[in-house]
């Protein structure tokens, strides 16, 4: 158990936001499938999985993204794998996606679905005020995408693979580019966050620094 704990901490200390990767190194299919699986298996609020992963390997498309992705200049050129995570819009009771997810994927009986829909409406509306506008509901879905994002980066680090999360892009322009090419429907999805994977071109110039555990943790006994 001590070895497992140390392995996890070593991986988290190893990981850093890699700005440029070694373009000559490629992640194996087996390793990247494992990374994607840790994203797919991630938890989400209400179990609604409001995400879609676009793995962008096409060089021409990566080049087209560069002018509108200021935070991904080095990564788009050098990453072994580049992923855009989309967040689903209008994830609420009565939505066709939610109904299909519960009945077909999760195989819930209709009576249980009806009960869950009532509780979901109360949770989304009364607890979180998500029905105030469409943006509030999408922001809630977008928050869920950061769970698979973190899990994929963590599993990558455990495999000795580097990564970098990226919010530095023009969201509307990226959405227009990819939707016009038919990669997703904007009535259903909007871009949430990017993440690049590969092998570091060089080690970071300084050690990782974070606030101490005493500074970030308060125990209530």
């Amino acid at each position: 158990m001590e070895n497992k704990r140390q392995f996890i901490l070593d991986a988290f200390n190893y990981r850093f936001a890699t700005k440029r990767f070694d373009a000559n190194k490629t992640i194996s299919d087996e390793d990247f499938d494992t990374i994607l699986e840790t994203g797919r298996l991630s938890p989400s609020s209400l179990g609604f999985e409001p995400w879609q992963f676009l793995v962008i390997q096409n060089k021409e498309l990566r080049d087209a993204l560069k002018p509108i992705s200021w935070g991904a200049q080095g990564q788009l050129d050098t990453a072994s794998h580049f992923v855009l995570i989309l967040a689903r819009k209008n994830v609420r009771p009565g939505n066709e996606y939610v109904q299909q997810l519960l009945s077909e994927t999760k195989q819930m009986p209709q009576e249980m679905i009806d009960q869950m829909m009532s509780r979901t409406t109360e949770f989304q509306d009364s607890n979180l005020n998500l029905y105030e506008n469409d943006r509030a509901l999408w922001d809630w879905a977008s928050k869920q995408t950061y769970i698979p994002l973190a899990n994929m980066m963590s599993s990558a680090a455990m495999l000795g693979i580097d990564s970098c999360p990226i919010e530095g892009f023009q969201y509307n322009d990226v959405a227009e580019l990819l939707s016009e090419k038919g990669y997703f429907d904007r009535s259903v999805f909007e871009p949430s966050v990017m993440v690049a994977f590969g092998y570091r071109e060089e080690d970071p110039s300084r050690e990782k620094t974070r606030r101490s555990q005493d500074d970030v943790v308060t125990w209530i006994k």
Side-chain angles (χ1 to χ4, degrees):
M1 185 58 68
E2 177 62 31
N3 288 339
K4 287 183 179 179
R5 288 193 289 265
Q6 191 59 52
F7 172 74
I8 293 169
L9 292 176
D10 286 346
F12 273 71
N13 278 299
Y14 172 83
R15 194 213 65 77
F16 82 108
T18 306
K19 300 300 187 288
R20 290 190 63 84
F21 299 91
D22 186 338
N24 296 314
K25 292 183 179 179
T26 302
I27 300 170
S28 72
D29 291 342
E30 294 80 7
D31 281 349
F32 196 69
D33 184 67
T34 297
I35 292 169
L36 288 176
E37 278 293 277
T38 61
R40 184 183 71 86
L41 294 170
S42 295
S44 58
S45 182
L46 302 172
F48 282 173
E49 307 171 34
W51 50 62
Q52 194 79 9
F53 307 144
L54 296 184
V55 184
I56 302 173
Q57 301 300 84
N58 182 275
K59 184 181 185 306
E60 291 183 0
L61 186 54
R62 286 197 191 186
D63 288 342
L65 285 169
K66 282 189 69 177
I68 52 177
S69 305
W70 56 268
Q73 298 298 294
Q75 296 92 335
L76 281 165
D77 281 340
T78 62
S80 170
H81 291 70
F82 194 90
V83 181
L84 174 64
I85 304 179
L86 306 174
R88 187 177 287 272
K89 301 168 73 173
N90 193 35
V91 181
R92 68 171 81 198
N95 176 279
E96 181 181 354
Y97 165 76
V98 171
Q99 293 294 319
Q100 185 178 39
L101 177 75
L102 297 180
S103 63
E104 297 182 14
T105 303
K106 300 186 182 299
Q107 299 184 344
M108 287 185 179
Q110 190 59 48
E111 181 181 357
M112 185 181 295
I113 292 174
D114 293 341
Q115 292 173 354
M116 184 174 180
M117 291 302 91
S118 176
R119 293 195 298 269
T120 297
T121 298
E122 181 178 1
F123 169 69
Q124 289 185 322
D125 191 16
S126 302
N127 296 159
L128 297 181
N129 300 317
L130 298 182
Y131 298 160
E132 292 180 337
N133 54 66
D134 291 342
R135 179 58 190 254
L137 191 58
W138 181 83
D139 281 340
W140 170 77
S142 181
K143 285 195 299 183
Q144 309 310 311
T145 69
Y146 281 66
I147 302 173
L149 169 70
N151 285 341
M152 288 192 290
M153 291 193 300
S154 296
S155 61
M158 293 178 191
L159 293 169
I161 294 167
D162 294 294
S163 62
C164 185
I166 300 159
E167 291 183 320
F169 61 96
Q170 293 159 237
Y171 285 68
N172 188 60
D173 291 342
V174 168
E176 284 188 0
L177 172 68
L178 294 174
S179 62
E180 286 176 0
K181 291 182 177 293
Y183 293 115
F184 67 90
D185 182 347
R186 289 194 75 180
S187 69
V188 181
F189 291 105
E190 289 287 347
S192 180
V193 64
M194 297 173 170
V195 57
F197 297 96
Y199 295 95
R200 63 188 65 182
E201 188 174 62
E202 57 184 31
D203 289 329
S205 58
R206 61 190 182 95
E207 292 185 3
K208 177 172 290 188
T209 56
R210 293 290 189 274
R211 289 186 294 154
S212 71
Q213 191 173 125
D214 288 340
D215 286 337
V216 300
V217 177
T218 299
W219 287 79
I220 302 174
K221 297 183 179 180

